[in-house]
Amino acid sequence: MGDGSGDLRGLAILGFAGAFESPASSALLPGVAPDRTLQRATAMATGTRQFATITGPALGGLAYAFAPGAPYGVMALCSLLAVVLVGAIELERSAESEPPNLAELFAGLAFVRSNPAILGTISLDLFAVLLGGATALLPIYAKDILHAGPWALGVMRAAPAVGALLMTAVIARHPIAPRAGLRMFQAVIAFGLATIVFALSQTVWLSIAALMAMGAADTISVIVRVALAQLATPDAMRGRVGAVNLLFINASNQLGEFESGMVAGLLGAMPAALLGGIGTIAVALLWMKLFPILRQVDRLE
């Protein structure tokens, strides 16, 4: 169809499938990771995702050089391969399921609300990302502030993923312990500080270094949050809690970019990024006071 409605339906189906796939995959990880290795498994999963973020666009461009529809064919084949591989996984334990009903539909929200540790970790991510969405301003920085052009924009877009990938390699070998909860808050504060450095930077390479530091700090926070939420959630609730977490993540990413763009339109790009970094630090300090149970988390085992 020439009006693009077919493309919109395809995107809607992808979004619908992703809404089921992400919570299911997050709930699957504790069932396949050996005992006491959840943190390493989470780091490896995060690193794999970041590697795909870095290499995916390049491979897509290479496939597009052969034919415009080639990237979609490759995506379809990779998705089918993923289905086969996931279908071959044998779980050591499985949760007992109950017949679906209206109460079960909102059970995830009720469980998160009643568990301060999980509520604290999920809400910390929501508000920290909501205020720290400086990456949405990268085109403005590349063109108007750094005066570096398209090449700088491309490198800066990849920088957070590179920093995250390097950090996952470190954590996979040297897990975060002890005082993992405090490390999570320190990582969020480091993310805010790196955002401030990026906001004030006038050189390309300092901006790239700050973005890599943001990716590395965010990875520490993500790994602690994911492992902590998985360990604090019963097997039967992991899919529902994962769905709630996905809702918070998507909301924070989209609203964070909207917030950064709106503030940049009112005050300028640099003040918007600067206020975002300061706000992220303020949220971390406030959450340390509101959720003291998170500071007391020692080891993710």
Side-chain angles (χ1 to χ4, degrees):
M1 297 179 63
D3 58 358
S5 60
D7 295 337
L8 293 177
R9 284 197 294 268
L11 291 173
I13 292 173
L14 285 175
F16 184 78
F20 286 90
E21 183 270 338
S22 183
S25 60
S26 65
L28 181 64
L29 186 60
V32 299
D35 291 341
R36 307 172 74 87
T37 63
L38 180 59
Q39 186 180 161
R40 282 192 173 95
T42 302
M44 293 177 65
T46 303
T48 302
R49 190 177 302 111
Q50 295 298 342
F51 179 77
T53 300
I54 297 171
T55 60
L59 294 176
L62 181 62
Y64 186 87
F66 290 94
Y72 303 100
V74 173
M75 288 175 59
L77 290 175
C78 289
S79 298
L80 290 175
L81 177 60
V83 170
V84 173
L85 294 176
V86 172
I89 295 175
E90 295 183 1
L91 294 177
E92 296 182 359
R93 65 182 191 273
S94 59
E96 296 181 0
S97 60
E98 299 179 1
N101 53 59
L102 186 61
E104 290 297 313
L105 181 62
F106 299 98
L109 286 171
F111 181 82
V112 170
R113 182 180 177 184
S114 64
N115 192 309
I118 297 180
L119 177 61
T121 57
I122 293 179
S123 58
L124 175 64
D125 177 67
L126 171 65
F127 288 102
V129 176
L130 178 64
L131 296 172
T135 53
L137 305 176
L138 289 181
I140 300 176
Y141 266 82
K143 180 181 179 181
D144 299 330
I145 297 177
L146 301 176
H147 305 289
W151 73 268
L153 176 60
V155 175
M156 287 194 295
R157 282 198 179 279
V162 172
L165 182 60
L166 294 175
M167 183 54 67
T168 56
V170 173
I171 295 177
R173 189 172 182 84
H174 304 286
I176 302 169
R179 307 182 73 179
L182 181 61
R183 300 289 179 262
M184 177 183 66
F185 285 113
Q186 290 172 340
V188 176
I189 292 173
F191 180 90
L193 291 174
T195 302
I196 292 174
V197 172
F198 170 78
L200 300 176
S201 173
Q202 297 291 319
T203 61
V204 174
W205 297 112
L206 179 58
S207 299
I208 292 172
L211 288 166
M212 290 180 64
M214 289 166 60
D218 184 57
T219 295
I220 297 174
S221 175
V222 166
I223 290 175
V224 175
R225 288 199 310 266
V226 170
L228 179 60
Q230 297 286 13
L231 291 172
T233 305
D235 289 346
M237 292 297 301
R238 283 201 173 106
R240 298 180 181 92
V241 173
V244 175
N245 190 33
L246 178 66
L247 175 64
F248 275 60
I249 290 173
N250 286 339
S252 61
N253 288 334
Q254 301 299 327
L255 292 177
E257 292 182 356
F258 171 77
E259 179 270 338
S260 295
M262 183 179 65
V263 177
L266 294 174
L267 304 177
M270 186 176 294
L274 181 62
L275 290 175
I278 295 173
T280 299
I281 296 173
V283 166
L285 296 175
L286 179 61
W287 255 239
M288 290 177 69
K289 182 176 181 61
L290 294 177
F291 298 93
I293 188 174
L294 293 178
R295 299 201 315 268
Q296 300 167 8
V297 174
D298 189 44
R299 296 180 181 273
L300 299 174
E301 299 174 353

